[in-house]
Amino acid sequence: MSRRMHATIPGLGVLCALLLAVPTAFAQPPDAALKEEVKQRLGKVEQSLDDWDVGSARRELAEVEKRVPSELEPLKYFQGRVAFEEGQYDDAVTLLEGANIEDKPGSYLRLAKDTRTIVKDHQRAESEHFIFFYPKGKEEILVPYALETLEAIHRALAEDLGWTPPGKVRVEVVNNARELSRVSTLTEKQIRTTGTIAICKFNKLMVTSPKAVAQGYDWQDTLAHEYVHLVVSQMSHNTVPIWLHEGLAKFLESRWRGKGGLAMTPSTQALLGKRVKEDKLIPFEKMHPSIAMLPTAEDAATAFAEVFYAIDYIHGTKGTAGLRALLQELKAGQPDKKAVEVATGMPFPLFEKTWLYYVKKQPFPQELVPRDDRVVLKEDAKGAQKDSEKKGREISFGGFSEVTEVPARKFAHLGEVLRERNRVKAAAEEYSRAHKLVGDKYESVSNKFALALLELRRLDEAESVLRGSLRMHPGSPSTNVHLGRILLFRKDYPKAKTAYLEALASDPFDPEIHVALTRIHGALGETALAARTRGAAANLTGLKPDDVDRAAQAFLRAEDELSETKNVPAGTPDAPKPKAAPKPAPQPAK
């Protein structure tokens, strides 16, 4: 859960000092009324920026520009601030340097310089309401899906909250946690501790590439989550406290793909249930100034779950009208407790009591489920291998260390040994024993069991195991890929498409997903989408488009070949570099 943060960064406290320079910057003694007007207008510029209203800041600044010399340092400072918020980083650096802003960590000058350096070679793509900046390379694959997700959440929030941002929203993709730290002012330690993967600040969205995360992350939901933050900040003039901010973003992030409130996973529910039982919930006021600054990732995940259910409760009782009323009251200057009282129609102590009762009656899993929402950066993953060495979704012999039940772990390990020795039927029996002991609790056990069943052509059983795992671990890319293989083999193209798109929503750089979707879109007559995925597969594998088509057509051939080991498309992460024409033929992998 703790992968998206709305960073609340304190102001730099420079306005008063800069305004003291106003009288000395005039060639002649200024008129007292003019001096006072300039101070007031610059104060309004500062307030507009704090309110996330860059348009108003720009208009006020234009009026100041008509009245004072261009070399005035306070003018240059605010011109630099506005240029930074508008994404004009070269201008921002020049102006902030002209204002004699100190180049130190946390300063707007350092932010402008670092951001300029990081995004200077980024590619640019646009849709009706968004501008998407991304690093050269495989991030190009993200572009159409990202823009479709953003436009979908834009439509949904216009309907739910009645607000759309002015102009086009800037979205910047960074390569890793180090870059996210440099463009956001969060420290790397804060980012790693809480699993922060994206931030909404400075009138834009900043998102880490899925390539930086060991097993990917729900990057499309994350884009939507950060956009909710932007809308809430703008429409409320940045008056929403962090606990309500995060609750709204978490509850509404799924609106791009359906109704709100779909973001809660069994693993997070299990964690929340544990904290409720231990009476260790995080008080709302302790979530300020940012959930990213809580001591541990577990604390952050618990906080996200708490605030999700706060908004879920308000929405469940008052609908979107309750959410709008909440934001309107906060925009009008009401404190958070009063705004909640108006939105819910009950005193805040009663709201807290009924919210806690609502939380406690949730269907918490009986035992803790391994957290599948935890972000593990590739550089932090123990024993992580490069993409060129091994597919992230394929689990090695030691991949059952998360299984705490010793008998189940032993059965699973034995199954892996047997499968490596090509004794698939015996392996399936051992996996089955492990699965009977732990059920759908562990993705590793479920997926290995399903792969063995798939090789034995026991497709119905394999599908049942995979769907059970998805109920416990929704959105798992590995599980969806394996389910997609079964559905594609059956030529159930609509359902196969859904499975592979679910996998893409977390792991967009797996070549198999794009090869499979090329075949699926072609079979469904979706020519433009087939061209999209063909290009993505070529980008990731180095194959020529014609070779991608051959690989797509060969994908999961006849039933009598289902249990045979075939070559994967040349250029995929676990395949050697092709010396001659590549051999298509993705088959169920070991």
Side-chain angles (χ1 to χ4, degrees), residues 1-9 52 180 184 186 190-191 193-201 204-207 222 225-227 229-230 242 245-246 249 253 287 289-294 296-297 299-304 371:
M1 209 64 87
S2 55
R3 58 191 62 179
R4 295 159 295 227
M5 298 294 170
H6 173 67
T8 303
I9 301 174
W52 290 54
L180 186 63
S184 69
L186 285 177
Q190 289 169 338
I191 288 171
T193 298
T194 58
T196 302
I197 207 70
I199 294 169
C200 173
K201 187 67 179 174
K204 62 182 177 181
L205 316 184
M206 295 163 279
V207 186
T222 296
H225 182 102
E226 298 306 326
Y227 178 74
H229 279 312
L230 183 79
I242 196 66
H245 231 305
E246 291 295 357
E253 71 178 48
M287 299 176 192
S290 173
I291 290 179
M293 296 181 183
L294 288 172
T296 68
D299 284 343
T302 302
F304 264 116
R371 279 182 54 202

Side-chain angles (χ1 to χ4, degrees), residues 19-34:
L19 289 179
L20 291 175
V22 171
T24 61
F26 289 94
Q28 300 295 329
D31 177 85
L34 175 58

Side-chain angles (χ1 to χ4, degrees), residues 236-305:
S236 69
H237 288 175
N238 200 27
T239 55
V240 178
I242 196 66
W243 70 277
L244 288 172
H245 231 305
E246 291 295 357
L248 287 162
K250 193 64 193 169
F251 178 81
L252 292 170
E253 71 178 48
S254 60
R255 281 288 286 121
W256 74 273
R257 55 187 169 91
K259 65 180 183 178
L262 301 179
M264 191 56 53
T265 63
S267 63
T268 304
Q269 284 182 314
L271 172 62
L272 181 61
K274 167 180 170 284
R275 298 290 286 250
V276 167
K277 186 176 181 180
E278 296 172 347
D279 194 24
K280 291 184 179 179
L281 296 181
I282 309 293
F284 293 141
E285 60 270 15
K286 289 196 175 180
M287 299 176 192
H288 181 81
S290 173
I291 290 179
M293 296 181 183
L294 288 172
T296 68
E298 182 178 299
D299 284 343
T302 302
F304 264 116

Side-chain angles (χ1 to χ4, degrees), residues 124-150:
R124 171 182 177 137
E126 293 191 44
S127 62
E128 184 178 359
H129 301 104
F130 297 89
I131 308 174
F132 190 76
F133 295 87
Y134 58 97
K136 290 180 181 178
K138 62 184 182 180
E139 274 76 16
E140 183 178 1
I141 292 167
L142 305 177
V143 171
Y145 301 100
L147 292 177
E148 288 169 1
T149 299
L150 289 164

